[in-house]
Amino acid sequence: MTHSAVEIQASTLAGYSDASRLRQANDQDWVLAEAPAAPRVHADLGSGIGQLLQASLERFPSLETAIGLEQSAFRLSEAASRLQPYGDRVLLRQADLMSPEPLELRPDLITMTSVLHWLYPVEFRLFDWVGQTMARGGTFLLTTYHPERDEHGLGGEDDIVRAALAALGRDRALVPGFLAAGDVLPIATRTRDTEGLRDLLERDLRIVSTAERDAVVQVGSAAEYEHFHAATFGDYYSRLVEPPLRQAFFQAVGEAAWRRQQERGHVSHMPVRLWKLTTRD
């Protein structure tokens, strides 16, 4: 069976540079503005294609080592190309953030942007690792997105997927059960509320401050969102449908998002919270 370009993109998580422009590009300056004035070791968790590390290397002449921990081999390869000019100041490592291995260095700056929901329900393992790994008095900067949820725990991207599945003939009312049967936990359910996160974080870390802003996703076409979804969520949702329908699924996701854009002036609109944390001692 021949796979479409968007199916291949979903399987490799390729094209993230364009996808991050829609949702995360504005996070970089916002996050790094809260970093220490002259960090020496920066570890980015879920570092993707290295955009935040590149911004950090450009922003902080003091930075001796930029460490990227990322699970996707494809994204690590792209990050290696992007960060090649920085030579041995960069260390990239394939890592499972649900059970990260110890680092030989102790970062005084750790970041993680728009990743935490993928670690549900064992986020505490990562927070414990940060508390054990970060240099005393270091800074951990974490961003979390918080879409509204319905009574089934669906919200944000889940709503767009629900509309796409309905367009493919699924009964809209039965979509929550369909996700559960396919072992796909809604992204909005994966994202804990702020109080739940606060309780988890304070077990291992001390909260210095928090800030919020609105994250708005807008697109210029159905195709643009189709590729955004593939690069951001991979095959997380598309595996719900039979292989012959997967190309149609991605197309339906793009069309559902484009309808929202035309009706509302945006595809999604949700708060993103920036947590600034440090060690407890």
Side-chain angles (χ1 to χ4, degrees):
M1 181 179 63
T2 302
H3 295 288
S4 67
V6 73
E7 289 176 89
I8 295 170
Q9 180 183 12
S11 68
T12 62
L13 295 172
Y16 194 69
S17 180
D18 289 337
S20 66
R21 175 181 54 80
L22 294 178
R23 177 167 288 174
Q24 294 182 49
N26 292 334
D27 286 355
Q28 292 182 14
D29 287 341
W30 189 44
V31 169
L32 293 179
E34 295 297 326
R40 296 180 59 197
V41 179
H42 176 191
D44 189 28
L45 312 182
S47 53
I49 61 174
Q51 292 164 301
L52 185 61
L53 288 178
Q54 183 180 27
S56 183
L57 286 159
E58 292 294 326
R59 186 182 185 112
F60 302 116
S62 62
L63 198 59
E64 298 171 3
T65 307
I67 304 169
L69 302 184
E70 169 61 44
Q71 187 167 34
S72 167
F74 295 97
R75 287 183 177 173
L76 279 172
S77 177
E78 189 170 346
S81 296
R82 175 184 295 273
L83 300 174
Q84 188 274 334
Y86 303 95
D88 59 8
R89 294 173 69 197
V90 176
L91 173 63
L92 299 177
R93 185 173 295 174
Q94 192 165 20
D96 178 0
L97 295 183
M98 287 191 175
S99 54
E101 296 179 359
L103 285 180
E104 59 271 21
L105 298 174
R106 292 180 66 78
D108 52 351
L109 172 62
I110 298 179
T111 54
M112 184 163 68
T113 58
S114 192
V115 174
L116 187 65
H117 50 279
W118 293 116
L119 307 187
Y120 179 91
V122 293
E123 304 98 324
F124 65 89
R125 296 179 187 170
L126 189 281
F127 298 152
D128 175 70
W129 181 90
V130 170
Q132 296 293 324
T133 303
M134 189 163 61
R136 184 176 180 179
T139 298
F140 176 38
L141 299 173
L142 168 71
T143 65
T144 54
Y145 286 79
H146 298 278
E148 292 184 2
R149 295 184 289 213
D150 66 11
E151 67 274 18
H152 304 292
L154 276 67
E157 194 69 15
D158 307 315
D159 287 333
I160 295 168
V161 168
R162 176 161 43 190
L165 291 171
L168 293 179
R170 301 283 179 180
D171 186 327
R172 185 181 179 87
L174 299 180
V175 166
F178 184 53
L179 267 64
D183 198 28
V184 172
L185 190 65
I187 292 295
T189 298
R190 283 180 167 276
T191 304
R192 296 181 187 268
D193 62 29
T194 54
E195 288 309 308
L197 272 176
R198 181 180 294 274
D199 291 343
L200 279 180
L201 286 163
E202 288 183 329
R203 295 180 189 179
D204 301 289
L205 300 157
R206 181 171 64 84
I207 298 172
V208 177
S209 63
T210 62
E212 281 196 1
R213 67 172 181 82
D214 288 332
V216 181
V217 173
Q218 297 174 309
V219 293
S221 69
E224 185 178 14
Y225 198 87
E226 180 180 347
H227 289 284
F228 166 80
H229 177 95
T232 304
F233 298 97
D235 60 2
Y236 185 70
Y237 291 106
S238 65
R239 58 193 168 94
L240 287 166
V241 301
E242 300 83 358
L245 291 176
R246 286 177 185 165
Q247 182 176 359
F249 169 79
F250 285 112
Q251 184 176 352
V253 164
E255 291 171 350
W258 182 234
R259 284 194 299 272
R260 280 179 164 233
Q261 175 68 47
Q262 293 175 306
E263 293 167 359
R264 309 178 185 185
H266 60 265
V267 178
S268 62
H269 189 295
M270 68 185 76
V272 55
R273 172 165 287 211
L274 172 59
W275 307 77
K276 183 175 184 177
L277 306 111
T278 190
T279 52
R280 291 193 64 85
D281 52 3

